[in-house]
Amino acid sequence: MTTTPSLPSASETSDLRTLARSLAMEAGALVRGSRPDEVEVAATKSSAVDPVTAMDRAVEDLLRRRLAARRPDDAILGEEGDDVTGTSGLTWVIDPIDGTVNYLYGVASYAVSVAIVAGDPDPARWTPLAGAVHSVVDGVTWTAAREQGADRDGLPVQVRRADSLATSLVGTGFGYEAERRAEQARVLRHVLPRVRDIRRLGSAAIDLCLLADGRLDLYYERGLNPWDMAAGGLVAVEAGAVLSGLDGAPATRRMTVAGSPDRQAELVALLEEAGA
């Protein structure tokens, strides 16, 4: 376990936000401009239906090269490559394409996610500092910095407060392992009759950002990796959301629940009731 360093100043954190935005947008332009008509799977991860494409690897390589040049003392935690150790106590957490299956099929919900955190690069212990999520197809970019708010293409965003859990539009996602999917389906059967409706868009980073700017009321998902939630989670929190797990735990791979404080607490209770 590493020791949490002194946090950067507000000005330094703002600069990190600017860098995260620049990197996410540059990487997004690469994805957008280089997508072939037919995308091929280069490898798989957790199961045979959890793909990696050549573009995932190309984008992560681009981000790693840019960070090595601009922030050589920082560590890097990425989805597709080997972790890079650092000496600054800060770690960049990057997802080259969040929503790879959507990218594979040409479904318009995939993003580049770039965040920087202080301390252990573990959602249960880190302190998120800055992040950016760039939606590749429509070119929308959300950013946030610790204690400095969140924005969508430069305009401030704020979570929406639904009148009740029953009138809440809820985003979620599913894993790629059969056993986990079966369990998630069981929980979904408990949740669905008690909310307005469910949306499953296929990119956790985008889901969390849509929550931040009021296009979703709530979001929950089991199985998120650090790079799935790092930037989007900060955007949601800085837009006024509560982000947590279940039973008083922080948001982790076990469960992530986000939303305005009152509705989020109700969804947490519902998920606990379901044994999620």
Side-chain angles (χ1 to χ4, degrees), residues 50-137:
D50 186 9
V52 177
T53 68
M55 185 57 70
D56 287 281
R57 293 172 172 172
V59 171
E60 184 155 322
D61 180 65
L62 170 68
L63 293 171
R64 287 172 180 274
R65 285 188 282 109
R66 294 288 185 266
L67 288 169
R70 295 286 300 274
R71 303 279 307 184
D73 296 331
D74 297 344
I76 301 175
L77 174 64
E79 182 173 15
E80 310 302 345
D82 294 332
D83 297 343
V84 174
T85 59
T87 58
S88 68
L90 306 181
T91 300
W92 291 89
V93 185
I94 57 177
D95 194 340
I97 302 180
D98 184 60
T100 298
V101 172
N102 285 343
Y103 171 75
L104 182 65
Y105 280 82
V107 176
S109 184
Y110 49 94
V112 178
S113 176
V114 178
I116 183 168
V117 303
D120 288 321
D122 179 333
R125 294 188 293 271
W126 68 27
T127 300
L129 299 175
V133 175
H134 179 75
S135 176
V136 173
V137 175

Side-chain angles (χ1 to χ4, degrees), residues 128 144 149-150 158-159 208 211-212 231-244 258:
Q158 187 71 29
V159 295
L208 287 162
L211 170 74
L234 180 61
V235 171
V237 168
E238 288 295 323
V242 173
L243 186 74
S244 78

